[in-house]
Amino acid sequence: MHQDKDKWLGTLLIVASAIAYSLSGYFTRLVEHNVWTILFWRGIFGGVFLGAYIAWRHRRDLLGSVRAMGWPGLWVMLLSATATICFINALRLTPVADVMTIHAAIPFMTAVLALVIAGEKEDWTTWAASIAALAGVAIIVNPQASAGHLTGYAFAMGMALSYAAVMVVIRKNRHVSMLPAACLSAFLCTLVALPFASPAHVTATSLFDLFLFGTVQFGLGLLLMTTGTRLISATRSALIGSMENPLAPLWVWLAFSERPSLSAWIGGSIVMAAVIVDVLVKSTRKRDPARDGEQALPSPRLSQ
């Protein structure tokens, strides 16, 4: 009975996390200031939110939790900050549906990087799903698109590769909490954005929207995902968390009438089908206890 309650609670937390994360495109469209100003304030609010949680959780061993990250934590911080900067720029330059289609293919990009960097091999179902996801991404990228859209695609690919690298580092250091790295990456985004931002020109309304962007979409979304994943299997978490990808363009469509193109519908459907099939196939197999947690990991969201 207790396990059933944990499963339901974990499921609700991951659903709430996916909804929170899916608001990234909505807030990027809502706030009319430049990208660097958005990154500046979002980093401050998100970093303070996470910092307060980490300080409350670790209390007397706060510095110890930061030192425990070591060099892997530093890499996660740098890569997460890079991914965030690329992600927000991509959302501003390219239709949200296109960006989220590329985002949905991150687990498969992770498989490729894990093989190249760490020699970690995946089974044939993941590689088949990876090829399908690559085809879906290729469908949405129009080589004849405007220069702005092409730049957005480049940022989206940079985001995806950075997130994939983050996942490889986390896989090799699963015993270490990377929440402090996520917090530091938020403040790093603020520092990088500062020379190009205009933080003093933000209106009170925009500042409140940025507060919600940093705390609800990023900070709360990450905490809900972290807590929920501990209560249910990684496979179930990954499957539920994939709700974020179709929800993100849905909110932008409803709020700003940004309709996904036909290629985005087709490509996005292929990528989402690949993700769902891969996760479901893995969930039906008997998992080796020694490798538990290595497969069907949730999407990397340390700094979305």
Side-chain angles (χ1 to χ4, degrees), residues 13-223:
L13 289 174
I14 297 300
V15 169
S17 171
I19 293 173
Y21 276 130
S22 70
L23 295 172
S24 55
Y26 170 79
F27 280 114
T28 304
R29 292 288 186 274
L30 181 65
V31 180
E32 297 181 352
H33 295 276
N34 65 60
V35 170
W36 300 108
T37 301
I38 292 174
L39 285 166
F40 176 88
W41 283 112
R42 180 181 181 272
I44 286 181
F45 290 129
V48 170
F49 182 93
L50 284 177
Y53 173 80
I54 294 169
W56 170 79
R57 170 136 190 195
H58 293 280
R59 294 181 178 89
R60 298 178 182 177
D61 196 30
L62 179 59
L63 292 179
S65 68
V66 176
R67 287 196 297 266
M69 299 186 310
W71 285 103
L74 179 62
W75 277 110
V76 168
M77 178 186 73
L78 294 173
L79 289 168
S80 296
T82 300
T84 298
I85 293 171
C86 289
F87 188 48
I88 302 301
N89 275 281
L91 288 172
R92 181 56 68 89
L93 295 171
T94 309
V96 173
D98 294 5
V99 177
M100 297 311 296
T101 297
I102 296 174
H103 180 277
I106 290 174
F108 307 122
M109 296 183 185
T110 303
V112 174
L113 285 184
L115 176 63
V116 173
I117 297 174
E120 180 181 314
K121 297 181 180 179
E122 290 284 357
D123 54 36
W124 68 269
T125 56
T126 296
W127 290 117
S130 299
I131 294 172
L134 180 62
V137 171
I139 287 174
I140 72 162
V141 177
N142 180 9
Q144 298 180 343
S146 66
H149 279 196
L150 291 177
T151 302
Y153 290 139
F155 275 120
M157 291 302 297
M159 169 270 297
L161 290 173
S162 297
Y163 278 144
V166 166
M167 286 300 287
V168 173
V169 175
I170 291 177
R171 282 185 179 186
K172 292 178 67 67
N173 300 273
R174 290 186 297 276
H175 59 287
V176 180
S177 172
M178 290 300 173
L179 274 178
C183 175
L184 292 174
S185 74
F187 288 124
L188 180 59
C189 286
T190 294
L191 290 177
V192 172
L194 179 58
F196 314 102
S198 302
H201 296 160
V202 175
T203 64
T205 301
S206 294
L207 192 63
F208 179 71
D209 293 334
L210 288 166
F211 168 77
L212 294 178
F213 197 1
T215 56
V216 175
Q217 188 274 332
F218 172 39
L220 184 60
L222 177 59
L223 292 183

